Amino acid sequence: MRRLFPVTYETADHAAHEAREWSLDELADAYAYPAGQDVWLRANMVSTLDGAAQHDGRSQGISNAADMRIFGTLRGLADAVLVGAETVRLEGYRPARAREAFAGRREAAGQAPAPAIAVITGSLNLDFSLPLFTSPLVPTFVVTGAGAPPDRLDAARKAGAEVLIVGEGTTVEPEGAVRALAERGLTRLLTEGGPRLLGQFVAAQVLDELCLTLSPMLTAGDAQRIAGGPSLTVPERFEMASVLEEAGFLFTRYRRS
């Protein structure tokens, strides 16, 4: 069991707090989706001290065991996980699995045993023979635009994916993707990036919450930030909701003001 220390944002003085073990139930309570929301989109990302969202093209090298524990908790609470096609390719995405620790909570909330994966892609440049498409516990969604290549759409459907068309050409409209999933009863949404996809959600101002792990590492180089793409004309303000610390890693949570 990893130890997490609650800290205050002002001092980050974990020495003043007694070390304690956080169970998955406690983490699930801490990261629960807010009640009374029609749809809620949160992001979960990790960044080094100098702003890198990846090392050698992947996030694993800047993460740790506690970060992965929270990663699993956030998945255990979500109806659907939204992810970009590039991240699917780079990170080797597999179907989400059912976890006994969250089974009762999910059943009580009327959720499927595991979250659906929704891949956001314009080109559909994906390997549809992968288990993510051929053998998920719940069907995988492919979210694309009206101009997607017809042969790739056919391949996605033949593999068992449910295709959602939101947007003109090969462009996926972020707001449309969120709305299309919500219309199917998937309202507790989580995006795990990558940076390009998160940047699209930020630019469209549809992101409600950011769960950001600050990794105590420096990488230099030219790695991407957690969000890429065009900038907002006016920066959008978020407010801190909570922060945890373990082994120098800060697990922060910010919500739209």
Side-chain angles (χ1 to χ4, degrees):
M1 178 74 71
R2 305 292 292 181
R3 290 183 178 273
L4 294 174
F5 301 89
V7 299
T8 62
Y9 175 69
E10 292 81 4
T11 65
D13 181 15
H14 71 259
H17 299 270
E18 181 182 357
R20 62 185 302 276
E21 294 180 344
W22 288 68
S23 69
L24 288 177
D25 274 341
E26 288 175 311
L27 286 175
D29 288 340
Y31 284 91
Y33 280 81
Q37 298 291 331
D38 293 334
V39 60
W40 189 265
L41 174 63
R42 65 167 34 145
N44 182 33
M45 300 292 283
V46 59
S47 171
T48 63
L49 297 176
D50 54 344
Q54 304 164 337
H55 183 62
D56 288 337
R58 301 185 65 184
S59 60
Q60 183 176 357
I62 60 174
S63 180
N64 76 341
D67 183 44
M68 295 308 299
R69 188 172 177 80
I70 290 176
F71 173 94
T73 298
L74 294 178
R75 278 197 165 197
L77 298 173
D79 293 330
V81 177
L82 288 69
V83 61
E86 185 175 2
T87 298
V88 168
R89 292 188 293 265
L90 290 175
E91 302 279 357
Y93 259 62
R94 298 184 63 82
R97 59 189 178 91
R99 297 184 59 187
E100 185 177 352
F102 300 104
R105 189 181 292 263
R106 293 187 69 86
E107 183 178 4
Q111 294 174 293
I117 304 295
V119 184
I120 313 296
T121 174
S123 67
L124 279 77
N125 181 19
L126 297 162
D127 182 354
F128 291 114
S129 69
L130 294 177
L132 176 62
F133 302 102
T134 61
S135 57
L137 185 61
V138 294
T140 294
F141 289 89
V142 171
V143 187
T144 190
D151 60 326
R152 302 306 295 161
L153 289 172
D154 289 342
R157 293 186 175 108
K158 287 177 181 177
E162 183 172 342
V163 176
L164 304 180
I165 305 295
V166 290
E168 301 299 326
T170 58
T171 301
V172 178
E173 296 175 357
E175 186 176 2
V178 170
R179 184 172 58 251
L181 291 168
E183 288 172 352
R184 285 155 178 79
L186 307 174
T187 60
R188 287 158 285 206
L189 303 178
L190 168 68
T191 179
E192 297 170 348
R196 186 181 305 170
L197 179 62
L198 179 55
Q200 292 171 3
F201 286 130
V202 171
Q205 295 186 297
V206 295
L207 185 71
D208 299 298
E209 180 179 324
L210 173 64
C211 299
L212 176 63
T213 296
L214 185 62
S215 171
M217 300 180 188
L218 295 169
T219 63
D222 57 359
Q224 287 183 295
R225 298 163 48 191
I226 65 167
S231 62
L232 291 172
T233 303
V234 178
E236 188 174 12
R237 180 64 184 262
F238 277 57
E239 296 178 350
M240 177 167 278
S242 66
V243 60
L244 304 173
E245 184 270 349
E246 188 271 335
F249 283 74
L250 293 181
F251 305 98
T252 69
R253 189 162 55 98
Y254 291 86
R255 289 182 173 179
R256 185 195 304 275
S257 297

